[in-house]
């Protein structure tokens, strides 16, 4: 079980017998580094640059118009709302699940671990489709929902549900190996010293996993804001109502409003960059 | 405060970890739970602390039933083998933890807490480490901090789970002596778990020898070492030679030799096991008609004040270990290959259940 959990486990690097010392020859190093850098530049840096270039091609004014027009603002608002719902929910669930898995033995534990991974192994479009099949008009709960005048599909609840589903694994996945490695001796020590369950959680458990939580939340947030496939299926693309930023970008692009599309896309790209910076800072903080 | 343990049983699935154990620890005593790994000693300690729930039986503190009391209400101090210091807190905060988590009305003032923590850090002689984090300390220092942290809540009993098990031999020896001095100073009823017989003999007032979830013997270190109650205790504490023989009418037959069975043994007539410590064997040169076990000297090794002899029995080639004072060994001027006569000065006879 621990083997399948250790997603961040260090890889064992099989070394060839050392040549002179332990380093490769200059040529090999040059080729390897060059290859890695050009690959990276071609696949990552160029598109990133293109996004900002295209977004600003028609000038700063056009850029700001594109990101401040009502539909764009509404999509930004919705995206922030989705993240504000999905991240806290998955934070609480992730901590609870990781706690249960790492500190207790119970029936169905391996099933729970598998289920946490499910959203990663299912195509996001399928995840969206599942919700349509369950909550849509022709779905299982459709008639009942309609009778009670509750709209899930092509409305906000559907978008929230789909996003929460897709982002379930991030926090839990980050915490499970961490908490398993830490064991429960510190918690036991706190209990013996007279601490209550809550005191133990807030004073001992939480501080020990806080950087893991931050890391998981960052990744969860990035995915929640950027999710396209699952949300596209359940949203219904109603402008100003159920369009998140990625959906808005698609609509603009399909309408040949390239500058506007890239302007909104640049915001998402910016978010990705900020996320990466925070992530790097967190990693640096953990090491020092 | 005294501890009483009554008829405790605990199983993990099919495995009986603790099998009907009862024991008393009088106020102020330092008691060792000694046994090989898997003997149930740690489980018993955790049951006393409340970290583990017994399947049946009772734990009493000072005559009061604490069996169903939550671990946080038992007022015990617990020291873990791997220290379990809070890694994100300084040494000071670690020691202060037990005071800070008290409900507001019984929580001491910040000033009192600081006073108490420094007092404890002085007691464990590590006051200068107050601002450090656990990962900056050596193993021995961590264990002393863990002890200070446990003492901060003024526990009525102190429970230590293999406290020196993770330390190297030299530090272990120092801390052992230090723990004994500390106990004499604070006098809190203490139980510590160890698999190291030397540690148990050196530190404790009393030793509880455990094996396979049961208590084999309870007694002072002297008693347990020189008057082991069971074959297991004999084998576990110190070196011992085991002879297979038969008893009849108060006599033990070992090959050709016959020895009187000492009083107070349970050996019935039949197959028997005789236990003899290496230093309780009398040795002399073979002479025709001499009574005893005939053996040949294989090897002799002089270490400090004792000579260790390795002998081979003539009748069944069993290897016997014997120890002589160095001067006696020189006096006899024994050489390898010589035939000798061995006579146990002390021997304990047990009925051999396996062979009868």
């Amino acid at each position: 079980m621990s083997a399948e959990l250790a997603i961040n486990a260090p890889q064992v690097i099989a070394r060839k017998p050392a040549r002179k010392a332990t380093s490769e020859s200059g040529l090999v190093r040059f080729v390897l580094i060059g290859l890695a850098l050009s690959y990276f530049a071609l696949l990552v840096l160029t598109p990133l640059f293109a996004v900002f270039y295209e977004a600003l091609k028609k000038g700063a004014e056009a850029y700001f118009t594109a990101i401040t027009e009502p539909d764009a603002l509404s999509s930004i608002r919705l995206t922030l709302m989705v993240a504000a719902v999905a991240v806290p929910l998955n934070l609480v669930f992730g901590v609870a699940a990781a706690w249960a898995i790492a500190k207790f033995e119970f029936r169905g534990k391996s099933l729970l671990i598998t289920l946490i991974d499910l959203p990663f192994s299912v195509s996001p479009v399928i995840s969206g489709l599942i919700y349509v099949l369950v909550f849509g008009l022709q779905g299982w709960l459709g008639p009942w929902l309609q009778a009670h005048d509750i709209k899930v599909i092509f409305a906000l609840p559907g978008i929230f549900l789909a996003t929460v589903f897709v982002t379930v694994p991030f926090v839990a996945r980050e915490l499970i190996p961490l908490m398993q490695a830490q064991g429960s001796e510190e918690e036991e020590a706190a209990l013996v010293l007279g601490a209550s369950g809550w005191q133990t959680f807030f004073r001992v458990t939480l501080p020990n996993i806080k950087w893991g939580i931050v890391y998981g939340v960052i990744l969860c947030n990035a995915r929640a804001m950027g999710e396209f496939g699952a949300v596209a299926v359940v949203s219904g693309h109603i402008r100003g109502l159920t369009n998140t930023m990625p959906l808005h970008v698609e609509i603009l692009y399909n309408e040949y409003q390239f500058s506007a599309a890239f302007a909104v896309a640049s915001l998402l790209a910016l978010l990705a960059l900020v996320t990466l910076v925070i992530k790097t800072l967190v990693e640096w903080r953990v090491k020092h | 405060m005294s501890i009483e343990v009554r008829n405790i049983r605990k199983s993990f699935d099919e495995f009986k970890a603790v099998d009907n154990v009862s024991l008393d620890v009088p106020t102020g005593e330092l008691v060792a739970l000694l046994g090989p790994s898997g003997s149930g000693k740690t489980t018993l300690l955790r049951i006393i602390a409340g970290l583990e729930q017994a399947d049946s039986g009772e734990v009493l503190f000072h005559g009061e039933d604490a069996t169903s009391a939550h671990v946080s209400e038992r007022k015990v101090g617990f020291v873990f083998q791997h220290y379990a210091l809070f890694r994100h807190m300084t040494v000071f905060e670690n020691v202060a933890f037990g005071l800070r988590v008290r409900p507001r009305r019984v929580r001491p003032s910040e000033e009192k807490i600081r006073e108490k923590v420094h007092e404890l850090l002085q007691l464990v002689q590590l006051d200068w480490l107050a601002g450090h984090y656990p990962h900056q300390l050596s193993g021995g220092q961590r264990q002393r901090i863990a002890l200070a942290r446990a003492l901060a809540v003024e526990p009525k009993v102190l429970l230590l789970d293999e406290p020196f098990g993770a330390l190297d031999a030299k530090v272990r020896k120092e801390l052992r002596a230090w723990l004994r001095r500390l106990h004499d100073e604070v006098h809190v009823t203490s139980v510590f778990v160890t698999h190291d017989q030397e540690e148990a003999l050196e530190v404790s007032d009393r030793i509880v020898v455990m094996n396979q979830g049961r208590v084999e013997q309870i007694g002072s270190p002297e008693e347990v070492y020189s008057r082991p109650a069971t074959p297991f205790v004999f084998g576990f504490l110190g070196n011992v030679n085991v002879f297979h023989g038969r008893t009849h009418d108060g006599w033990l037959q070992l090959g050709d030799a016959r020895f009187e069975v000492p009083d107070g043994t349970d050996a019935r007539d039949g197959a028997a096991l005789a236990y003899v410590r290496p230093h309780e064997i009398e040795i002399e040169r073979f002479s025709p008609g001499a009574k005893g076990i005939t053996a040949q000297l294989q090897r002799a090794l002089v270490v400090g004040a004792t000579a260790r002899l390795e002998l081979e029995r003539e009748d069944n080639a069993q290897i016997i270990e014997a120890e002589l004072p160095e001067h006696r060994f020189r006096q006899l001027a024994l050489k390898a290959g010589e035939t000798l006569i061995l006579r146990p000065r002390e021997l304990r006879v047990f009925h051999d259940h396996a062979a009868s």
Side-chain angles (χ1 to χ4, degrees):
Chain A
M1 186 192 64
S2 57
E4 58 180 88
L5 278 176
I7 48 170
N8 288 338
Q11 308 250 316
V12 177
I13 299 161
R15 264 190 228 157
K16 282 187 177 177
R19 291 157 56 92
K20 213 166 172 185
T22 51
S23 62
E24 302 293 340
S25 77
L27 182 70
V28 174
R29 255 191 303 170
F30 181 79
V31 169
L32 279 178
I33 294 172
L35 208 64
L37 283 182
S38 18
Y39 187 80
F40 178 73
L42 187 74
L43 285 174
V44 181
L45 282 184
T46 317
L48 193 65
F49 175 76
V51 167
F52 287 100
Y53 177 80
E54 289 291 333
L56 293 164
K57 204 160 72 175
K58 290 194 177 160
E61 205 176 319
Y63 181 83
F64 283 110
T65 319
I67 60 172
T68 52
E69 57 113 1
D71 285 352
L73 280 181
S74 133
S75 77
I76 293 171
R77 212 175 302 126
L78 181 58
T79 299
L80 292 176
M81 253 164 75
V82 166
V85 170
V87 173
L89 274 180
N90 281 328
L91 172 62
V92 172
F93 168 78
V95 172
W99 172 283
I101 287 167
K103 317 258 168 176
F104 300 104
E105 290 303 322
F106 55 91
R107 262 164 205 270
K109 185 160 148 175
S110 44
L111 185 71
L112 180 59
I113 295 171
T114 315
L115 283 180
I116 288 174
D117 272 345
L118 191 67
F120 272 173
S121 50
V122 172
S123 156
V125 177
I126 309 292
S127 335
L129 213 55
I130 293 165
Y131 283 102
V132 173
L133 290 176
V134 175
F135 298 107
L137 266 186
Q138 270 73 45
W140 292 352
L141 300 176
W144 186 87
L145 288 170
Q146 204 184 17
H148 291 78
D149 204 18
I150 302 171
K151 266 186 84 74
V152 175
I153 301 305
F154 305 147
L156 299 192
I159 297 175
F160 293 153
L161 275 176
T163 310
V164 169
F165 177 81
V166 171
T167 54
V168 155
F170 287 99
V171 177
R173 262 287 170 229
E174 203 56 55
L175 294 183
I176 291 168
L178 183 66
M179 288 173 95
Q180 278 182 330
Q182 287 178 350
S184 40
E185 268 205 342
E186 283 183 46
E187 276 86 359
E188 284 182 348
L191 288 175
V192 176
L193 288 167
S196 68
W198 285 113
Q199 284 175 319
T200 304
F201 179 74
F202 283 110
R203 287 168 182 252
V204 177
T205 309
L206 210 53
N208 277 343
I209 59 171
K210 66 180 169 198
W211 293 112
I213 290 181
V214 171
Y215 195 86
V217 162
I218 290 170
L219 293 177
C220 182
N221 183 58
R223 181 68 188 270
M225 290 190 173
E227 176 54 31
F228 179 83
V231 173
V233 178
V234 297
S235 126
H237 303 269
I238 307 165
R239 277 191 180 215
L241 278 180
T242 63
N243 268 353
T244 59
M245 284 166 78
L247 300 184
H248 190 60
V249 171
E250 191 209 14
I251 286 179
L252 290 173
Y253 188 83
N254 287 344
E255 291 172 351
Y256 304 107
Q257 303 186 42
F258 294 131
S259 294
F262 278 111
V264 178
S266 74
L267 290 181
L268 281 171
L270 215 58
L271 167 79
L273 288 178
V274 169
T275 305
L276 281 179
V277 169
I278 300 177
K279 184 174 151 263
T280 314
L281 282 178
V282 168
E283 277 170 353
W284 183 84
R285 176 69 182 73
V286 172
K287 267 190 204 140
H288 292 81
Chain B
M1 194 166 73
S2 64
I3 308 170
E4 277 171 67
V5 170
R6 285 196 199 144
N7 307 104
I8 290 283
R9 289 173 199 273
K10 171 80 183 175
S11 303
F12 297 105
D13 297 325
E14 294 297 292
F15 177 69
K16 279 186 191 165
V18 180
D19 189 7
N20 198 15
V21 167
S22 298
L23 110 112
D24 284 330
V25 182
T27 307
E29 253 194 16
L30 177 54
V31 170
L33 295 180
L34 174 67
S37 53
S39 60
K41 54 199 190 313
T42 292
T43 307
L44 180 61
L45 192 79
R46 289 172 62 87
I47 288 171
I48 296 174
L51 289 169
E52 211 81 67
Q53 205 64 44
D55 296 337
S56 65
E58 293 167 321
V59 177
L60 287 81
F61 288 148
H62 207 66
E64 274 172 51
D65 190 0
T67 315
S68 53
H70 188 255
V71 47
S72 58
E73 294 160 359
R74 292 201 185 187
K75 297 197 186 322
V76 300
F78 200 97
V79 175
F80 294 81
Q81 182 178 3
H82 299 287
Y83 330 122
L85 292 176
F86 306 126
R87 68 194 85 187
H88 63 284
M89 294 182 200
T90 59
V91 163
F92 181 94
E93 286 304 321
N94 262 283
V95 179
F97 185 88
L99 302 171
R100 289 205 197 283
V101 295
R102 284 188 185 169
R104 187 159 294 136
R105 64 201 153 69
V106 287
R107 195 185 307 156
S109 67
E110 188 57 33
E111 199 183 324
K112 282 258 171 58
I113 290 179
R114 204 173 316 130
E115 220 171 88
K116 176 91 193 170
V117 171
H118 282 296
E119 189 186 302
L120 281 161
L121 288 176
Q122 270 156 19
L123 183 72
V124 300
Q125 298 153 357
L126 291 175
D127 205 17
W128 51 285
L129 285 175
H132 287 59
Y133 283 88
H135 68 90
Q136 298 169 305
L137 313 184
S138 73
Q141 288 169 338
R142 282 183 213 184
Q143 199 53 295
R144 275 145 75 187
I145 297 301
L147 199 57
R149 180 179 69 176
L151 291 172
V153 293
E154 289 172 7
K156 308 240 174 73
V157 302
L158 186 59
L159 308 171
L160 307 101
D161 182 13
E162 301 251 3
F164 313 129
L167 303 169
D168 61 59
K170 187 167 175 289
V171 180
R172 194 153 65 205
K173 224 169 157 76
E174 282 169 16
L175 274 191
R176 212 188 277 167
W178 175 82
L179 176 69
R180 183 65 235 187
R181 284 200 303 276
L182 185 80
H183 181 263
D184 293 341
E185 221 169 292
V186 294
H187 256 298
V188 56
T189 311
S190 307
V191 180
F192 80 103
V193 158
T194 179
H195 61 260
D196 181 344
Q197 37 143 325
E198 204 183 314
E199 194 168 293
L201 291 169
E202 205 172 290
V203 177
S204 58
D205 296 317
R206 270 188 328 143
I207 295 179
V208 178
V209 186
M210 291 187 69
N211 182 35
Q212 296 182 340
R214 293 164 178 277
V215 171
E216 294 273 339
Q217 185 174 7
I218 302 178
S220 69
E222 216 277 314
E223 268 168 13
V224 174
Y225 185 79
S226 49
R227 288 191 297 285
T230 66
F232 173 81
V233 179
F234 233 122
F236 194 69
L237 280 120
N239 290 335
V240 73
N241 295 297
V242 186
F243 298 99
H244 294 259
R246 296 196 74 79
T247 42
H248 182 70
D249 277 348
W251 287 88
L252 172 73
Q253 191 78 36
L254 294 178
D256 296 335
R258 238 157 71 101
F259 301 98
E260 206 167 346
V261 174
D263 292 339
T265 41
D266 74 327
R268 292 150 267 176
D269 287 359
L273 294 172
Y275 287 76
V276 185
R277 299 245 187 245
H279 65 267
E280 287 168 341
I281 294 177
E282 205 84 64
I283 291 178
E284 61 184 55
R285 277 213 173 72
F286 178 79
S287 55
K291 282 179 187 162
I293 301 164
T294 319
Q296 205 178 48
L297 180 61
Q298 300 278 320
R299 232 198 316 266
L301 179 70
V302 181
V303 182
T306 47
R308 290 189 198 150
L309 313 184
E310 200 181 295
L311 306 128
E312 190 186 293
R313 251 172 91 171
E314 206 143 70
D315 47 1
N316 65 0
Q318 182 192 355
I319 299 293
I320 301 167
E321 270 181 63
E323 279 177 17
L324 287 182
E326 184 253 7
H327 66 90
R328 171 86 180 127
F329 176 72
R330 300 256 180 255
Q331 207 176 25
L332 285 168
L334 299 174
K335 284 187 194 69
E338 277 191 90
T339 306
L340 307 171
I341 286 287
L342 315 181
R343 265 193 303 272
R345 217 176 303 130
E346 295 266 350
L347 99 176
R348 285 292 309 263
V349 183
F350 295 96
H351 189 66
D352 187 355
H353 295 276
S356 55

